[in-house]
């Protein structure tokens, strides 16, 4: 509670006393930042993600703001407060790049780097005194906020925030390669040419070459990682970026056409082929798990084109749609085609027989 109060108090004072142009939430640029942030923060509610990253459940009151300032920078304060400068948005090629920036700052918050550094300085006790004394002036509070901003993270903190940002981007379905694309653009456009223009970004962060090399070594960045391609593709599909999604899903299907998780991508095709008969991802996964030799995907060089899901069954009524089987019959008598779907533009080409 003290962390949240300290961060919220400092956030409001720093934001509105030190920046002349805090952009309204309804502006498109603010909406974009908040939307990408919402996707990343949503990952922190996933029990599987928390278990894999060994994070406790988060209870921050997240607040994301954009300030119209030229420095290539972003910062966070304890308790879930993040500020993005418009100057850094020009470096973000797309939402994957923006997810890198926001994910990094969110990483500092969830690892509590700011409050940990504050507790090592006199600022923490000053902040608690201010919170407990209603007679403190706004200048006192603002001074405390600026003091929090002056704290420096360790290189280990920065790497840890990079890693968390990548994991959040990956979990939210943003292209994890956006991390290295962002860092490369940052280095090429600013660090090598105009180091004075990037303000505190490179005074406090590890050398960008090392950050790129470190991120490239992570498994999510491998172009041959079907799981990464699948999750990223489905993330883009959820955000209605169909063309980009199809390319990533096709590559995943090409690398691992019969993998149980890869077949989940076929649900995206199903939604387009027969939207009136939706089925849960778990149905696709179970059919492949129960009958791996009876399920196939079709893809060309650019995208996923279709699939067939089938399995052994008995005479009598077919299984209901969107229903888990639990198990296959011990003595099946027929081959049952649960679903065959081809995108409309590739029909009449003999592809049904191909799969």
């Amino acid at each position: 509670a003290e962390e949240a109060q300290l961060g919220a108090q400092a956030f409001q004072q720093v934001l509105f006393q030190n920046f002349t142009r805090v952009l309204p939430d309804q502006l498109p640029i603010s909406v974009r930042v908040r939307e990408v942030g919402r996707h990343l923060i949503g990952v922190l509610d996933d029990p599987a993600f928390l278990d894999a990253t060994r994070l406790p459940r988060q209870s921050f009151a997240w607040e994301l703001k954009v300030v119209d300032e030229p420095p290539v920078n972003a910062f966070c304060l304890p308790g879930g407060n993040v500020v993005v400068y418009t100057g850094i948005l020009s470096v973000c090629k797309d939402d994957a790049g923006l997810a890198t920036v926001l994910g990094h700052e969110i990483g500092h918050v969830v690892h509590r780097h700011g409050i940990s550094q504050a507790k090592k300085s006199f600022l923490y006790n000053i902040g608690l005194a201010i919170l407990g004394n209603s007679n403190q002036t706004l200048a006192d509070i603002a001074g405390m906020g600026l003091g929090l901003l002056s704290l420096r993270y360790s290189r280990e903190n920065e790497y840890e925030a990079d890693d968390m940002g990548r994991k959040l981007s990956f979990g939210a379905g943003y292209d994890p390669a956006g991390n290295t694309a962002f860092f490369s653009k940052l280095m090429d456009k600013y660090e090598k040419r105009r180091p004075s223009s990037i303000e505190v970004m490179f005074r406090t962060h590890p050398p960008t070459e090392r950050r790129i090399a470190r991120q490239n070594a992570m498994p999510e960045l491998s172009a041959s990682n079907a799981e990464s391609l699948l999750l990223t593709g489905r993330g883009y599909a959820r955000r209605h970026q169909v063309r980009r999604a199809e390319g990533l899903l096709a590559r995943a299907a090409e690398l691992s056409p019969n993998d149980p998780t890869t077949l989940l991508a076929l649900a995206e095709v199903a939604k387009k082929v027969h939207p009136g008969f939706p089925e849960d991802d778990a149905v696709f996964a179970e059919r492949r798990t129960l009958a791996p030799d009876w399920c196939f995907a079709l893809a060309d060089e650019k995208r996923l084109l279709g699939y067939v899901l089938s399995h052994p069954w008995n005479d009598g009524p077919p299984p209901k749609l969107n229903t888990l089987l639990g198990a296959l019959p011990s003595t099946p008598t027929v081959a049952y085609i649960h679903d065959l779907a081809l995108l409309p533009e590739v029909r009449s080409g003999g592809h049904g027989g191909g799969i």
Side-chain angles (χ1 to χ4, degrees):
E2 290 174 347
E3 176 183 358
Q5 285 183 286
L6 186 66
Q9 194 81 59
F11 182 63
Q12 292 302 316
Q13 295 306 321
V14 167
L15 198 62
F16 294 105
Q17 289 196 9
N18 295 278
F19 297 104
T20 58
R21 290 209 54 182
V22 179
L23 299 185
D25 291 342
Q26 64 269 27
L27 285 186
I29 192 171
S30 297
V31 171
R32 178 192 173 205
V33 168
R34 291 163 70 89
E35 183 68 8
V36 173
R38 183 178 66 82
H39 286 297
L40 297 174
I41 293 166
V43 177
L44 295 171
D45 291 327
D46 182 356
F49 180 86
L50 296 177
D51 183 62
T53 55
R54 299 182 179 179
L55 284 173
R57 183 167 291 279
Q58 308 298 311
S59 58
F60 298 114
W62 293 97
E63 186 72 26
L64 283 73
K65 291 289 186 180
V66 180
V67 294
D68 189 9
E69 298 285 348
V72 180
N73 198 23
F75 69 84
C76 64
L77 288 170
N81 306 290
V82 178
V83 174
V84 177
Y85 292 58
T86 53
I88 203 170
L89 296 178
S90 64
V91 187
C92 302
K93 179 181 178 182
D94 51 23
D95 283 353
L98 178 55
T100 297
V101 173
L102 293 175
H104 179 90
E105 300 304 329
I106 292 170
H108 280 310
V109 174
V110 299
H111 284 301
R112 291 176 162 81
H113 292 154
I115 203 67
S116 296
Q117 292 297 324
K119 286 182 176 180
K120 296 176 184 177
S121 76
F122 66 92
L123 289 168
Y124 188 68
N125 289 330
I126 291 177
L128 294 183
I130 290 173
L131 290 175
N133 187 345
S134 59
N135 294 323
Q136 293 290 341
T137 66
L138 291 179
D140 292 328
I141 298 172
M144 180 266 292
L146 291 173
L148 287 176
L149 283 181
S150 70
L151 295 174
R152 293 290 180 261
Y153 299 127
S154 68
R155 291 292 172 90
E156 290 74 20
N157 288 163
E158 296 295 353
Y159 284 136
E160 196 171 32
D162 280 350
D163 290 346
M164 179 54 61
R166 186 193 71 256
K167 291 173 182 177
L168 288 172
S169 294
F170 182 55
Y174 290 102
D175 189 350
N179 274 32
T180 52
F182 169 79
F183 288 138
S184 295
K185 185 174 181 181
L186 199 63
M187 182 174 64
D188 292 340
K189 189 174 181 179
Y190 294 100
E191 188 173 15
K192 289 182 177 179
R193 302 177 187 177
R194 295 187 291 120
S196 61
S197 71
I198 55 177
E199 303 297 327
V200 299
M201 179 64 76
F202 293 110
R203 293 207 304 269
T204 60
H205 289 66
T208 305
E209 294 96 330
R210 295 182 188 176
R211 299 173 80 181
I212 293 173
R214 194 170 181 279
Q215 293 302 311
N216 278 334
M218 301 300 174
E220 297 95 332
L221 272 294
S222 172
S224 59
N225 186 328
E227 180 183 3
S228 176
L229 293 168
L230 167 67
L231 186 56
T232 304
R234 295 183 69 223
Y236 280 107
R238 287 195 302 273
R239 294 188 297 279
H240 309 292
Q241 299 182 37
V242 177
R243 288 189 177 276
R244 190 161 190 177
E246 287 178 342
L248 292 165
L249 295 175
R251 178 60 177 158
E254 178 185 342
L255 289 168
S256 189
N258 289 321
D259 186 273
T261 55
T262 302
L263 279 178
L264 296 180
L266 304 181
E268 308 303 332
V269 173
K271 291 175 184 177
K272 291 194 288 185
V273 173
H274 35 66
F277 302 94
E279 292 196 287
D280 296 335
D281 293 345
V283 173
F284 288 85
E286 187 202 50
R287 296 301 192 271
R288 170 57 183 85
T289 301
L290 292 176
D293 296 331
W294 294 59
C295 303
F296 302 92
L298 177 69
D300 63 13
E301 295 179 354
K302 297 181 180 180
R303 58 176 180 159
L304 203 63
L305 302 175
Y307 63 86
V308 61
L309 297 176
S310 61
H311 57 80
W313 198 243
N314 284 329
D315 290 321
K320 293 181 180 181
L321 289 176
N322 201 30
T323 301
L324 297 178
L325 300 177
L328 295 175
S330 57
T331 55
T333 58
V334 298
Y336 176 72
I337 298 178
H338 172 82
D339 191 9
L340 189 154
L342 287 172
L343 293 177
E345 59 267 34
V346 297
R347 294 173 187 170
S348 302
H351 295 299
I355 57 175

